[in-house]
Amino acid sequence: MDTATARSRLETMLAEADRSIRVLRGEHPERELSASDAGADLYDSDRVQAALDSLGRHRAGVLAALERIEEGTYGQCQGCGEQVPEGRLEARPDAARCVTCQSKHDRAMR
């Protein structure tokens, strides 16, 4: 994928992530809870926080990919240094590693 296309897709992904984060942060304004609502609200709060955490990681990955474009290293695997396959970048423009290196990375993070 050429860098202009990648940049455009990544900027769209960043805007969508930012929009989702704003919506989730505004979804549960402070309000007074009854005792019967406390348990349900805790579950909702945990769910929203998990979504915000996930979106935050996604956003960081998109920003890192935009930085790699600026540095001229976009599409180069951060694990082995080889080119990330075109199909992987089409599916995941924010991919920092080839599938093999990403699998190793994921196993090491567990």
Side-chain angles (χ1 to χ4, degrees):
M1 172 184 325
D2 67 275
T3 56
T5 301
R7 182 187 317 276
S8 175
R9 289 187 61 200
L10 288 163
E11 288 171 348
T12 298
M13 291 169 69
L14 183 60
E16 289 171 356
D18 287 343
R19 186 171 31 259
S20 294
I21 288 168
R22 282 192 306 275
V23 167
L24 286 170
R25 285 186 177 151
E27 184 175 286
H28 294 293
E30 295 298 320
R31 65 184 190 274
E32 200 167 317
L33 296 176
S34 69
S36 62
D37 290 337
D41 190 60
L42 180 60
Y43 173 78
D44 287 346
S45 177
D46 290 345
R47 182 181 52 81
V48 168
Q49 188 57 52
L52 285 169
D53 291 346
S54 178
L55 282 165
R57 287 188 301 275
H58 174 66
R59 186 179 190 282
V62 170
L63 287 172
L66 287 166
E67 188 173 307
R68 289 191 299 277
I69 289 174
E70 293 302 315
E71 294 171 348
T73 60
Y74 181 78
Q76 182 180 348
C77 177
Q78 291 183 334
C80 65
E82 297 295 320
Q83 284 300 118
V84 175
E86 185 77 18
R88 176 152 171 78
L89 292 175
E90 287 290 331
R92 295 280 319 256
D94 57 331
R97 295 173 188 82
C98 65
V99 173
T100 302
C101 290
Q102 186 64 51
S103 294
K104 290 177 188 175
H105 177 77
D106 290 347
R107 282 193 301 274
M109 298 303 289
R110 289 183 196 168

